[in-house]
Amino acid sequence: MSSLVGKSLTAGYGGADIINNISLIINEGEIAVIVGPNGAGKSTVMKSLLGMLSLTEGTVFFSNKEITKMLPQDRVKLGIAFVPQNQNVFTGMTVEENLEMGGFLRQDNIFETIEEIYHLFPVLKEKRHQHVGELSGGQRQQVAFGRALMTKPKILMLDEPTAGVSPIVMDELFSRIIEVGKTGVGILMVEQNAKQALAIADRGYVLVNGKNNREGTGKDLLNNPEVRKSFLGG
Amino acid sequence: MITSKRTEILSILIMSLLLLFVGFMQSWSLSFSILNMCIISAIMSMGINMQWGYAGIFNVGIMGFTALGGLAAVLVSHAPINEAWSAGGMGIMISFLVIVLISLIVYWVNKRFKTNKKKYWIITLVIIIGLILVKLVYHPSVEAIEAVNPTLTGFLGGMGLPIIFSWIVGGLFAAGVAFAIGKITLGLRSDYLAIATLGISEIIIAVLKSEEWLARGVKNVVGLKRPVPYEINLQQTEWFISAVQYFNQSYLLDIVDKLEYEKVLNQLVIESSIIFVKICYAVLFFIVLLTILYLANKAQVSPWGRMMRAIRDNEVSANAMGKDVVRRHLQVFVIGSGVVGIAGAMLITLDSIFTPVSFQPLRYTFLIWIMVIVGGSGNNLGAILGGFIIWFAWIEAAPASQFVINILTSGLEDNNTFKIHLLNSIPYFRYLIMGTILLLIMRYRPKGILPEKIRYS
Amino acid sequence: MIDIFNAIVLLTNFIFIPAITYGSQLALGALGITFIYGILRFANFSHGEFMSFGAMSCILVTWFFQSNNINLGYLPTALLALPFAILSTIILSLLFNKFVFSYYRIQRSAPVVIAMASIGVMFVINAIIRIVIGPNDIKFFDGQKFIIKAKQFKNMTGLSEGLALKSTQVITVFITIFLLFLVFWFLQKTKTGKSMRAFSDNEDLALLSGINPSKVVFITWLIVGTLACVAGTLYGLDKGYKPFTYLGLVLPIFAAAIVGGIGNPIGAVVGGYTIAFSEIMITYAYKKFFKYLLPESLEPTGMIQLLSTDYKFAVSFTILVIVLLVRPSGIFKGRTL
């Protein structure tokens, strides 16, 4: 079974450490959620797991193999996919081309996977030949999601997948995320909508000021009065 | 920044030594020629440095602003040609007024109908009608003017004022045109602005080449009056001859023979007069250079200069802070272009001849850019140093490459075609050297020889 | 009636055919600019010199063939030399990429800084060309010059207006169509082409998808070198090779690319033809045209020329400014391939 493990991660931009001594684990088939106030370093954790910024301390393991020094592209090849929060699609290309680009590294037949993704997101099949720039925010988010799934990842990292979409679309996206999780992909998610995210999470991490504040199952955290008070609005 | 101070002094020292070296090894006349052009180049690069170094404006139209300064030199100093004025002056004036009128109307329409799409049609219509009107008066007048003594004049002439005034007028010309261009293009992205300025400069040169009534076009204007004495007059002036005698006392005293003495003295007077004229120019140019340097440094440390840097370093946040970025850019664009215009007028003053065809972008635009980058963008003294070094290299590139080629091909026969080909290509090695200098500096000393001083204030 | 035909032939001969030819040359040049802008994200001022270098290489190879009596009969020998010229232009491009441009790309320098470096490259190539082949005009066209001569046309149709069709014009158009087809097919249909569009669209996401940036850059220079060489050669073949004219081409080429929407290949092509047609239509003297169409009493006395040919730069420039003011992103939205 594959898992992505970060051990005592410490990293930041230009000298100042944004995250400090953070440890977390994502197993295949599990949904893990990082919640926390703005500026807690949630996205930074993801970027450091992917190698988009170098660690000052700590190690990253993938399926018990150390990958701390590996380039982001090579981690993608191993099966770690990432959906950034912004600019996560190729706006000038069609939906289908976006998916094809997602499967750029694969040598096998990618069209089966494309069909699977269309099955998951039926609206994309309808719009397969439209430019992504013309789609709505929620649809774009689905394209971004689909592009990442094209790599057939073992671990999928989503940076605020529901930022800026309407509540209805949000619910829809969450149910898709659960569906993807059921297929055996491990999902790590950073979310502003902590309540909903923790409700579907197998594992939750609360981040405050770049430090591990608390961790546990989604339910535990949801029911924890302190967490409720500080992040979930009572 | 202690090292920077030392580099400054060292750089200036090296430049002086280079000029002295040329003086001793080649000739003093050449050394002063180089010095004069160095000063002009330095002023140009200071002007561009204001735009690029203070504000990050990428202006590739230097050639055009230089030529406008040159035009000012002609229009200020040349004697007016009354015959041409009476033949077609009126028509030109009317055309000019019509053009001004069109511009005003277009401006007004543009303001009045802010977002209305129809305004473009109205503007187009106004311009077409205006152009037809202009064509009706303009062409006959132009023909009349150009018919007046075409071999010698055939243009309106100038104002007949001392040429030194043209330095101011040239600056104003360039600044005026820069204002008009800036109004239109400064809102654009930097690379678009570059192409726009490149276009403007080509158009300015095209106008100067083909509008013969203005400054004789490709027929050139020669024999512009000088702000300094003429050699031939100096050679007959009492005080000058005695001064030459005085300075060469020790050398002249050894000559006993009267005839020989006269001959040597005569030769010395001729040589000295040439150098003296160049020194006169150099003194005038230096005054301009130092004035502009003083003002530029003052401006740079003023609140205005700080704001310019703030805008350059972070346009978005400056915009957010309520600084009117486009307006500031317009100011610095106009001022910098004006400085280039001044240098252009000085250049034509030094040459006493105005030849529109000689304006080539490689020499008058891109070479100046190399000066700015090499010298150190954002640093006024750096810009001056860049002007000096690059002009020096530009001039000495040919003899230097000849020297190198001769050494490298010394094993070959004199009639070897390869050797002959290389020797014939010597003038082009300067482009190679310039390009290489630019690339090397950009790579290994990206902030230039004298980097911008960062003031924490 | 016959006068109308004469008028049409006149315009075809002096506006349509030259503009299509010139437009094709500009389109190829602008496409090169747009590729560099879209992928490498800077304005390449040295593009004119790349074109000139391509033409020069073609001339050198042509001379070699000519001295060995190798030719293509009716067609110019230059066509045979073209592949070799393309190869040498690509090599030059890759060398400058390796020693100059890649450094700034990896440093993630500001576009304007890379544009500045391209000025240095411009000086260097400019010098290389003049040192190798000199600054003088060179005609390297051989083979049959005309496909239709004006006189033949007159005899054939009985019209008083002649129509001349030079073989260089036909060659230019055919090669342009072929190359454009190839480029667009590559970008739209192949995996590599799509990955280039993706890279141009969103560099970071392209990296996350495993697209190899150095391969994309390499292919970009391959395409740019080819386009520049062909554009330069066709221009030189058509109008005679003059090294200094290529610096002057930078302005209309950039105007074409920007007008169409810089970074957009279709825009570059449309922009190229827009600039060419405007330039030629505005600087053409319509006196004869109206003579055919208007009754004698209304015949014009002047040249009916909107702008003298000295001001052709003004045309590119004016179109550029108008488009930028009215629609800042160009006719087609720019930035991505």
Side-chain angles (χ1 to χ4, degrees):
Chain A
M1 197 172 80
S2 302
S3 59
L4 181 63
V5 179
K7 269 197 184 139
S8 359
L9 305 176
T10 302
Y13 303 93
D17 286 336
I18 295 177
I19 54 169
N20 217 323
N21 196 20
I22 289 196
S23 301
L24 72 176
I25 176 165
I26 308 105
N27 289 320
E28 235 176 279
E30 270 183 5
I31 297 180
V33 174
I34 308 177
V35 296
N38 275 334
K42 289 171 292 178
S43 300
T44 313
V45 173
M46 263 187 188
K47 284 182 184 157
S48 57
L49 283 173
L50 196 71
M52 285 165 84
L53 76 167
S54 47
L55 296 171
T56 35
E57 255 172 75
T59 40
V60 182
F61 293 94
F62 183 71
S63 305
N64 302 324
K65 223 175 73 191
E66 194 187 330
I67 56 166
T68 315
K69 297 267 176 259
M70 206 178 243
L71 283 173
Q73 290 98 298
D74 299 327
R75 300 189 202 204
V76 171
K77 275 182 210 168
L78 281 183
I80 305 171
F82 176 53
V83 180
Q85 185 184 349
N86 300 309
Q87 300 183 338
N88 48 20
V89 285
F90 300 112
T91 46
M93 302 175 86
T94 65
V95 171
E96 189 148 310
E97 283 171 339
N98 264 272
L99 298 181
E100 280 176 46
M101 285 303 110
F104 184 78
L105 284 174
R106 285 174 48 188
Q107 300 298 324
D108 53 335
N109 187 4
I110 60 171
F111 289 94
E112 276 170 32
T113 321
I114 290 184
E115 281 308 318
E116 281 168 29
I117 287 166
Y118 285 155
H119 188 71
L120 196 61
F121 304 110
V123 67
L124 295 188
K125 185 164 193 173
E126 248 172 71
K127 313 228 167 191
R128 62 201 289 178
H129 295 304
Q130 262 193 41
H131 282 240
V132 174
E134 298 161 1
L135 302 186
S136 72
Q139 290 164 348
R140 279 194 201 203
Q141 220 52 11
Q142 297 183 14
V143 175
F145 206 168
R147 186 207 61 82
L149 287 177
M150 283 302 295
T151 51
K152 278 198 170 168
K154 298 194 174 77
I155 301 292
L156 175 62
M157 299 197 284
L158 306 168
D159 194 354
E160 309 224 358
T162 63
V165 299
S166 69
I168 302 167
V169 179
M170 204 192 306
D171 288 342
E172 158 116 23
L173 279 173
F174 273 125
S175 59
R176 294 286 172 266
I177 290 170
I178 296 170
E179 257 179 73
V180 172
K182 279 182 190 152
T183 61
V185 179
I187 295 177
L188 174 66
M189 195 165 42
V190 162
E191 257 301 327
Q192 286 283 338
N193 306 297
K195 241 183 213 168
Q196 257 172 307
L198 287 175
I200 63 166
D202 299 305
R203 201 186 288 270
Y205 297 92
V206 179
L207 231 68
V208 179
N209 286 333
K211 290 194 178 103
N212 262 13
N213 179 281
R214 207 175 286 275
E215 59 174 284
T217 65
K219 283 217 175 65
D220 283 350
L221 290 176
L222 263 182
N223 296 328
N224 185 313
E226 230 174 279
V227 175
R228 285 184 81 91
K229 209 171 133 203
S230 34
F231 308 115
L232 307 175
Chain B
M1 305 192 87
I2 305 150
T3 44
S4 154
K5 195 85 203 163
R6 202 183 293 156
T7 341
E8 272 172 26
I9 295 168
L10 194 70
S11 317
I12 294 169
L13 208 68
I14 289 173
M15 273 323 294
S16 321
L17 282 177
L18 280 176
L19 285 173
L20 287 175
F21 179 77
V22 172
F24 282 113
M25 296 301 289
Q26 288 175 295
S27 81
W28 285 104
S29 171
L30 179 65
S31 176
F32 277 105
S33 293
I34 294 178
L35 175 66
N36 282 331
M37 280 307 296
C38 279
I39 299 175
I40 291 177
S41 307
I43 294 175
M44 287 184 184
S45 84
M46 251 204 297
I48 295 308
N49 183 38
M50 290 174 190
Q51 301 176 341
W52 171 248
Y54 297 14
I57 297 173
F58 191 14
N59 173 6
V60 198
I62 306 171
M63 169 178 78
F65 297 112
T66 309
L68 281 175
L71 175 68
V74 174
L75 295 188
V76 166
S77 75
H78 201 282
I81 293 155
N82 296 325
E83 215 181 322
W85 270 103
S86 52
M90 201 59 188
I92 296 288
M93 279 300 166
I94 293 172
S95 315
F96 182 69
L97 282 178
V98 173
I99 289 175
V100 170
L101 208 63
I102 299 174
S103 317
L104 287 178
I105 295 176
V106 168
Y107 184 73
W108 179 78
V109 169
N110 205 14
K111 279 245 143 141
R112 177 77 179 65
F113 307 95
K114 273 217 150 50
T115 47
N116 197 332
K117 284 271 167 196
K118 264 189 209 150
K119 77 175 179 187
Y120 295 118
W121 294 108
I122 302 176
I123 289 174
T124 315
L125 196 73
V126 170
I127 290 176
I128 289 175
I129 294 175
L131 284 184
I132 292 172
L133 274 178
V134 169
K135 277 227 150 167
L136 286 178
V137 265
Y138 179 75
H139 274 286
S141 327
V142 166
E143 269 168 38
I145 292 169
E146 287 172 6
V148 176
N149 197 2
T151 47
L152 287 176
T153 57
F155 76 125
L156 285 174
M159 294 187 284
L161 297 171
I163 197 163
I164 207 147
F165 288 118
S166 74
W167 299 2
I168 297 165
V169 178
L172 293 177
F173 272 18
V177 171
F179 179 78
I181 306 166
K183 265 280 180 204
I184 304 173
T185 54
L186 273 177
L188 304 176
R189 292 176 9 204
S190 61
D191 28 11
Y192 287 8
L193 177 75
I195 303 301
T197 47
L198 184 68
I200 278 288
S201 70
E202 293 289 356
I203 292 174
I204 291 171
I205 301 302
V207 169
L208 293 178
K209 273 188 201 164
S210 46
E211 300 302 319
E212 292 185 0
W213 60 269
L214 184 63
R216 299 197 79 222
V218 289
K219 292 179 188 163
N220 307 336
V221 180
V222 295
L224 294 172
K225 281 193 222 97
R226 280 181 181 178
V228 298
Y230 284 83
E231 291 87 350
I232 194 87
N233 297 340
L234 274 180
Q235 286 155 22
Q236 284 144 14
T237 315
E238 201 61 45
W239 67 263
F240 185 74
I241 298 173
S242 27
V244 172
Q245 263 173 319
Y246 177 77
F247 280 111
N248 294 290
Q249 245 170 1
S250 53
Y251 175 56
L252 285 170
L253 277 178
D254 291 344
I255 303 168
V256 197
D257 183 42
K258 186 95 176 145
L259 262 177
E260 179 70 17
Y261 181 87
E262 281 296 315
K263 207 174 136 195
V264 172
L265 178 62
N266 204 25
Q267 193 57 39
L268 277 174
V269 166
I270 290 173
E271 277 169 18
S272 314
S273 69
I274 294 171
I275 293 171
F276 181 76
V277 168
K278 287 180 176 166
I279 292 176
C280 288
Y281 273 120
V283 170
L284 286 176
F285 289 174
F286 246 119
I287 293 171
V288 179
L289 180 79
L290 293 178
T291 313
I292 295 177
L293 177 65
Y294 173 75
L295 294 174
N297 275 336
K298 262 259 186 262
Q300 208 177 17
V301 296
S302 71
W304 181 84
R306 274 206 299 278
M307 181 170 57
M308 291 311 303
R309 276 200 301 282
I311 291 175
R312 179 196 63 189
D313 294 338
N314 196 338
E315 208 165 293
V316 180
S317 71
N319 228 337
M321 272 151 56
K323 311 285 183 205
D324 188 345
V325 173
V326 175
R327 210 182 129 91
R328 301 295 154 204
H329 274 183
L330 185 63
Q331 283 175 351
V332 82
F333 185 62
V334 167
I335 294 171
S337 304
V339 171
V340 174
I342 294 173
M346 290 163 66
L347 177 76
I348 301 304
T349 306
L350 179 66
D351 289 348
S352 299
I353 170 172
F354 182 59
T355 51
V357 275
S358 69
F359 288 97
Q360 298 292 336
L362 230 41
R363 153 73 183 87
Y364 284 96
T365 296
F366 296 115
L367 190 67
I368 312 298
W369 265 109
I370 299 184
M371 294 172 183
V372 176
I373 300 296
V374 167
S377 47
N379 184 325
N380 292 312
L381 200 62
I384 294 177
L385 185 72
F388 267 76
I389 291 178
I390 293 301
W391 185 261
F392 185 84
W394 179 256
I395 292 300
E396 293 295 337
S401 20
Q402 179 155 25
F403 182 71
V404 173
I405 289 171
N406 272 328
I407 290 177
L408 290 180
T409 58
S410 55
L412 299 171
E413 298 280 329
D414 274 349
N415 57 2
N416 181 301
T417 34
F418 179 68
K419 184 173 184 174
I420 293 169
H421 183 88
L422 270 187
L423 287 174
N424 285 337
S425 310
I426 280 171
Y428 310 113
F429 276 91
R430 58 158 61 144
Y431 295 107
L432 190 66
I433 294 170
M434 289 302 133
T436 315
I437 290 179
L438 177 66
L439 290 176
L440 289 178
I441 288 278
M442 282 193 69
R443 176 81 169 254
Y444 297 107
R445 209 178 158 107
K447 291 193 154 62
I449 299 173
L450 294 184
E452 181 180 7
K453 280 181 251 173
I454 301 158
R455 292 185 177 81
Y456 298 97
S457 53
Chain C
M1 193 59 201
I2 210 99
D3 276 346
I4 294 179
F5 280 122
N6 272 324
I8 293 172
V9 169
L10 183 77
L11 289 193
T12 313
N13 192 22
F14 289 102
I15 293 182
F16 187 73
I17 295 178
I20 279 279
T21 316
Y22 180 45
S24 304
Q25 291 148 4
L26 288 188
L28 291 180
L31 201 54
I33 294 267
T34 258
F35 259 94
I36 293 184
Y37 196 89
I39 303 270
L40 306 165
R41 312 199 195 284
F42 69 96
N44 181 17
F45 282 91
S46 60
H47 198 73
E49 300 304 327
F50 275 105
M51 285 165 63
S52 183
F53 183 87
M56 179 195 78
S57 321
C58 192
I59 292 173
L60 295 178
V61 181
T62 304
W63 281 349
F64 173 77
F65 283 146
Q66 282 169 344
S67 62
N68 287 300
N69 281 325
I70 301 170
N71 62 56
L72 283 177
Y74 291 121
L75 293 172
T77 315
L79 284 186
L80 199 62
L82 196 54
F84 301 94
I86 289 174
L87 192 69
S88 79
T89 315
I90 288 174
I91 292 171
L92 184 86
S93 313
L94 290 175
L95 281 177
F96 276 110
N97 178 50
K98 184 166 164 47
F99 290 111
V100 181
F101 295 122
S102 71
Y103 171 77
Y104 299 99
R105 196 179 65 77
I106 292 161
Q107 295 277 308
R108 296 213 167 207
S109 302
V112 81
V113 172
I114 318 181
M116 205 73 81
S118 83
I119 291 176
V121 172
M122 177 177 88
F123 268 90
V124 172
I125 305 182
N126 195 295
I128 293 174
I129 290 167
R130 279 154 184 77
I131 291 167
V132 172
I133 208 167
N136 301 320
D137 299 4
I138 295 163
K139 285 223 185 303
F140 63 112
F141 180 83
D142 52 8
Q144 194 179 347
K145 195 164 181 194
F146 285 98
I147 291 179
I148 305 172
K149 283 185 186 159
K151 213 171 177 184
Q152 279 175 331
F153 183 84
K154 283 186 202 168
N155 292 338
M156 233 154 56
T157 57
L159 292 173
S160 58
E161 199 53 50
L163 182 82
L165 191 59
K166 286 196 284 180
S167 49
T168 52
Q169 294 169 327
V170 177
I171 289 170
T172 300
V173 172
F174 271 107
I175 291 185
T176 306
I177 293 172
F178 173 72
L179 267 185
L180 292 183
F181 173 78
L182 212 63
V183 166
F184 285 106
W185 172 80
F186 171 74
L187 283 178
Q188 296 296 331
K189 299 292 175 204
T190 66
K191 192 176 167 189
T192 316
K194 284 177 188 172
S195 73
M196 288 178 71
R197 281 167 55 213
F199 187 88
S200 153
D201 192 315
N202 188 337
E203 196 172 329
D204 291 327
L205 195 62
L207 294 179
L208 280 180
S209 306
I211 293 167
N212 180 355
S214 9
K215 191 181 166 197
V216 169
V217 171
F218 175 79
I219 293 171
T220 305
W221 283 111
L222 233 58
I223 296 173
V224 168
T226 309
L227 289 171
C229 176
V230 174
T233 304
L234 291 176
Y235 187 82
L237 206 56
D238 190 34
K239 298 185 169 66
Y241 177 73
K242 305 182 188 75
F244 77 91
T245 53
Y246 287 85
L247 187 59
L249 273 180
V250 170
L251 181 62
I253 285 175
F254 261 106
I258 294 175
V259 163
I262 194 156
N264 182 318
I266 299 174
V269 175
V270 174
Y273 289 106
T274 310
I275 295 288
F277 270 90
S278 330
E279 215 172 79
I280 291 179
M281 280 166 75
I282 288 175
T283 55
Y284 178 69
Y286 288 91
K287 183 179 183 181
K288 222 174 163 189
F289 174 73
F290 285 110
K291 253 186 169 169
Y292 280 121
L293 291 186
L294 297 176
E296 226 163 285
S297 54
L298 284 176
E299 262 173 26
T301 47
M303 297 284 285
I304 319 287
Q305 186 181 18
L306 284 170
L307 217 54
S308 100
T309 43
D310 301 325
Y311 291 124
K312 61 176 186 207
F313 282 126
V315 179
S316 325
F317 176 76
T318 313
I319 297 174
L320 177 71
V321 169
I322 291 173
V323 168
L324 286 182
L325 290 182
V326 179
R327 203 184 153 84
S329 53
I331 299 173
F332 299 90
K333 221 173 133 237
R335 249 192 74 71
T336 56
L337 287 179

